[in-house]
Amino acid sequence: MIELSDTRIQKYMTPYRYPKPVLHGSGTEGAFDSMAVDIPFVFRHQDCFYMLYTGFDGKGYQSALAVSDDLLHWKHKAVILKRHMESDRWDRIGGAATWMIKESDSLWEVPRLKKVDGKYWMVYHSYPGTGYESGPAEIGLAWTQDEELLDWHFPDKPVFSWRDGEAWEAGGLYKACIIQNDGLWYMFYNAKDKKERWTEQTGMAWSPDLEHWTRCRENPVLRVNPDSWDERFVSDPCIVKDGDVWVNFYFGYGRMYEDGHTHAQEGLALSRDLFTWEKVKEPILTYGKPGTIDSGHAHKASVLFYNGILYHFYCGTRPVQEGDAAQAYGEYRTICLAGQEKVW
């Protein structure tokens, strides 16, 4: 394992935290984000910063875009992945969009969208039942040719499913990210088993065409460690490249801390071949101090390097407080920002 003090990882650290959310749930009855927001993915498009993110309204997930000029102040643009309860589609409940295919996977290049076969591509997962992550989710790939990124086409069936997998992923699939290397597409995803107190781990599959996927025989390629802080979850991969090293900003969960609670926190793992990963021993972004916006969890990374500074967007949670705009089951769940430097 890599120590937190290792000089190799200092350039990935983001110790400065913006003190308030950059996005939060609307609290508006009937809105897609009435209770919470989640899962940021930040990129640049048409001379503007965009954030793909997920809203929760008690029935399930739907996904939207927000825009910003400065990475701090964000304005909702549109819901682009909606619920279709009247249909019999596999994704009728809606879905959580987690990733778009990028021009470059380099950490040090501002992420921009890549056209494949003349289309932009978006990864999402959808659950079969209403409620909070109800039932085993499957993964879909949507596409658009619309430069405004508003008119998306959704597949009639999942592109990747737990139904074809093994016991460690039989409980359903969560966030996926897709990168390209040596002419192949690689999808990293986390999944859970079917135990009541389930475990989440990260697997990988590859494809020549974004349609036909082959699972890695060594799955899960990133596993939980029963003697570590990530003893139950190694989840939500966010994979970028630094020279000849692949870097995964993931989140781990499992250890009970001195406050009597377990906390999801951001971890880091490095690889040279996408198959074998070495983890950093402790979290690189810990849960926050009591009362702060991430005192519950700090997890689900999206990283962007801009003007010489690494921006680390993530989902932060804490117990609900008086005056909060929205809440889900007693929790204030928002999208937060940490930085390599204090840019606010």
Side-chain angles (χ1 to χ4, degrees):
M1 281 199 174
I2 302 168
E3 297 291 337
L4 264 180
S5 58
D6 195 307
T7 56
R8 288 177 294 168
I9 67 167
Q10 299 313 304
K11 55 189 169 181
Y12 310 132
M13 306 297 284
T14 52
Y16 298 97
R17 306 189 198 206
Y18 193 49
K20 58 184 181 180
V22 296
L23 271 180
H24 57 71
S26 67
T28 302
E29 186 175 354
F32 84 104
D33 62 347
S34 61
M35 297 177 71
V37 293
D38 211 339
I39 322 175
F41 174 81
V42 182
F43 58 98
R44 192 159 178 84
H45 184 69
Q46 293 188 337
D47 299 320
C48 186
F49 292 107
Y50 275 67
M51 181 189 296
L52 174 68
Y53 69 105
T54 294
F56 181 68
D57 63 358
K59 296 179 181 178
Y61 291 138
Q62 298 174 87
S63 297
L65 293 172
V67 293
S68 173
D69 292 324
D70 62 4
L71 293 169
L72 295 178
H73 303 91
W74 292 87
K75 181 180 179 181
H76 170 75
K77 181 178 174 72
V79 179
I80 60 171
L81 197 170
K82 300 179 181 181
R83 182 174 300 126
H84 299 283
M85 294 292 287
E86 72 284 354
S87 77
D88 59 358
R89 291 180 53 85
W90 71 277
D91 54 3
R92 58 190 290 271
I93 305 300
T98 62
W99 195 266
M100 292 182 180
I101 291 177
K102 300 180 292 181
E103 281 281 356
S104 171
D105 295 311
S106 171
L107 174 61
W108 311 119
E109 295 182 30
V110 175
R112 296 180 183 271
L113 303 187
K114 178 184 180 70
K115 282 188 174 179
V116 182
D117 296 331
K119 303 169 183 175
Y120 298 122
W121 295 85
M122 177 173 70
V123 188
Y124 69 104
H125 58 277
S126 182
Y127 300 87
T130 56
Y132 185 71
E133 299 183 353
S134 180
E138 299 171 284
I139 292 172
L141 266 175
W143 62 267
T144 187
Q145 294 176 309
D146 175 19
E147 292 297 333
E148 292 296 317
L149 307 179
L150 300 178
D151 181 24
W152 289 86
H153 300 261
F154 297 90
D156 291 331
K157 61 181 181 179
V159 73
F160 198 74
S161 176
W162 57 270
R163 301 174 194 274
D164 310 315
E166 300 177 1
W168 71 273
E169 54 192 317
L173 311 179
Y174 290 101
K175 176 183 175 179
C177 71
I178 295 179
I179 58 176
Q180 191 173 30
N181 188 48
D182 291 338
L184 288 175
W185 300 103
Y186 289 82
M187 179 192 295
F188 286 80
Y189 62 98
N190 71 291
K192 69 176 183 178
D193 58 31
K194 297 187 75 171
K195 297 176 183 177
E196 183 175 356
R197 191 173 185 271
W198 73 88
T199 294
E200 293 181 23
Q201 301 182 93
T202 299
M204 181 262 280
W206 63 85
S207 171
D209 56 11
L210 294 175
E211 182 178 359
H212 304 93
W213 293 91
T214 301
R215 280 173 165 82
C216 177
R217 288 182 296 180
E218 289 79 16
N219 271 348
V221 293
L222 277 149
R223 300 170 182 253
V224 295
N225 183 345
D227 301 316
S228 186
W229 66 279
D230 57 2
E231 65 183 29
R232 275 194 64 199
F233 291 7
V234 174
S235 302
D236 280 33
C238 172
I239 295 178
V240 291
K241 197 171 188 183
D242 177 13
D244 60 355
V245 176
W246 293 95
V247 184
N248 182 13
F249 293 81
Y250 72 96
F251 85 79
Y253 174 86
R255 175 186 292 172
M256 183 174 290
Y257 286 83
E258 294 177 357
D259 62 0
H261 298 285
T262 50
H263 301 275
Q265 302 170 97
E266 299 281 44
L268 196 73
L270 307 181
S271 176
R272 292 188 179 274
D273 62 6
L274 295 175
F275 293 84
T276 304
W277 294 84
E278 185 179 13
K279 293 180 189 174
V280 175
K281 190 174 182 179
E282 296 292 340
I284 64 161
L285 188 72
T286 63
Y287 68 96
K289 297 177 181 178
T292 58
I293 54 175
D294 54 5
S295 62
H297 304 310
H299 61 337
K300 305 182 182 181
S302 175
V303 292
L304 178 146
F305 186 72
Y306 180 68
N307 280 349
I309 297 171
L310 185 63
Y311 291 77
H312 184 152
F313 294 87
Y314 63 100
C315 174
T317 76
R318 63 156 165 75
V320 67
Q321 298 177 3
E322 185 176 354
D324 286 343
Q327 65 94 14
Y329 313 120
E331 180 183 76
Y332 186 47
R333 178 173 288 254
T334 65
I335 293 172
C336 306
L337 172 64
Q340 204 169 45
E341 296 181 19
K342 201 170 186 178
V343 293
W344 43 85

